[in-house]
Amino acid sequence: QGTDGYFAIKGVNNPEIYLQKALNYEKFNSTTLALYARDRPVGSTETTNTATATINISIEQADTRSPWFLPCAFINEERSICISSPYTGTVNISEMSTEPLILEPGPIYAIDPDQTLNEKILYSIVGGNTDEVFSVDADTGNLTMNKAATSPDSYLLQVMATQVNNIQKYSVVTVEIKVINKSDYAPYFESRIYNGMVFVGVAPRSFVFQAGDSSSPLMITAVDNDFPDV
């Protein structure tokens, strides 16, 4: 059931069973075939003897797919292709974090999609790591810092996940790390209450003036102690 088109026989008297197209392990991993034999050609008017044999076939998982970074989104009905999005994170300029970086949409993590095999995955940074600021744990995928970032430029790291048993089974994902100024303080308004006045009948987009001073536009300003000179 459900295996039409996959199996066929070749030969008449000594037939061989062969595959006509590749199997999908996620679709089915075992099947039963019925083989019929007869001692006269189909359509013969002579007395025909027949026999039936049942063939049970177990299908084993093959190591056919490269690792998937998670989370990922399937793009086909067979769920055999899963596309991941880049990871993103931030670090403070001139400050080295001693903990693994927090990333979105989650930590760097890849799996072997050949689930019954579930080969071990190793991680490495293969590009974009200017001045070797970052490192990745080969076993866990945790991204950490070796030194502080001294430039405000973002880092576009290329992280590779490789199967231990076969280095040619690999995937690469982009990790964007933005370097920002440290923010210890929340912004605040210089005054808790602002009073203004506006004249009846003025055109749209006209200025609102300070209460009691029709020559001075009302100015509402906020400051941030992280940027005292701005």
Side-chain angles (χ1 to χ4, degrees), residues 189-196 218 220:
F189 289 101
E190 292 185 311
S191 176
R192 295 190 63 183
I193 300 176
Y194 291 85
N195 296 305
L218 179 64
I220 300 175

Side-chain angles (χ1 to χ4, degrees), residues 40-120:
R40 294 287 186 274
V42 176
S44 173
T45 59
E46 299 180 51
T47 301
T48 302
N49 299 304
T50 63
T52 303
T54 298
I55 303 171
N56 295 317
I57 297 179
S58 297
I59 300 165
E60 296 184 353
Q61 176 76 72
D63 191 4
T64 58
R65 292 183 290 187
S66 299
W68 289 346
F69 282 98
L70 299 181
C72 63
F74 292 103
I75 62 172
N76 61 341
E77 293 182 359
E78 291 79 15
R79 299 172 68 86
S80 59
I81 302 175
C82 202
I83 303 299
S84 61
S85 300
Y87 296 93
T88 59
T90 60
V91 296
N92 295 323
I93 193 169
S94 302
E95 181 177 301
M96 189 185 87
S97 172
T98 58
E99 299 294 328
L101 301 184
I102 298 175
L103 304 176
E104 294 293 340
I108 298 172
Y109 181 62
I111 62 168
D112 179 3
D114 300 316
Q115 296 180 3
T116 60
L117 300 179
N118 195 26
E119 298 292 348
K120 181 177 173 59

Side-chain angles (χ1 to χ4, degrees), residues 91 101 125 129 132-135 143-146 155 157 177:
V91 296
L101 301 184
I125 299 176
N129 195 14
E132 302 296 319
V133 172
F134 302 96
S135 62
L143 189 66
T144 54
M145 300 185 72
N146 300 319
Y155 291 82
L157 306 177
I177 303 297

Side-chain angles (χ1 to χ4, degrees), residues 45 141 180 185 223:
T45 59
I180 62 175
Y185 304 97
V223 295

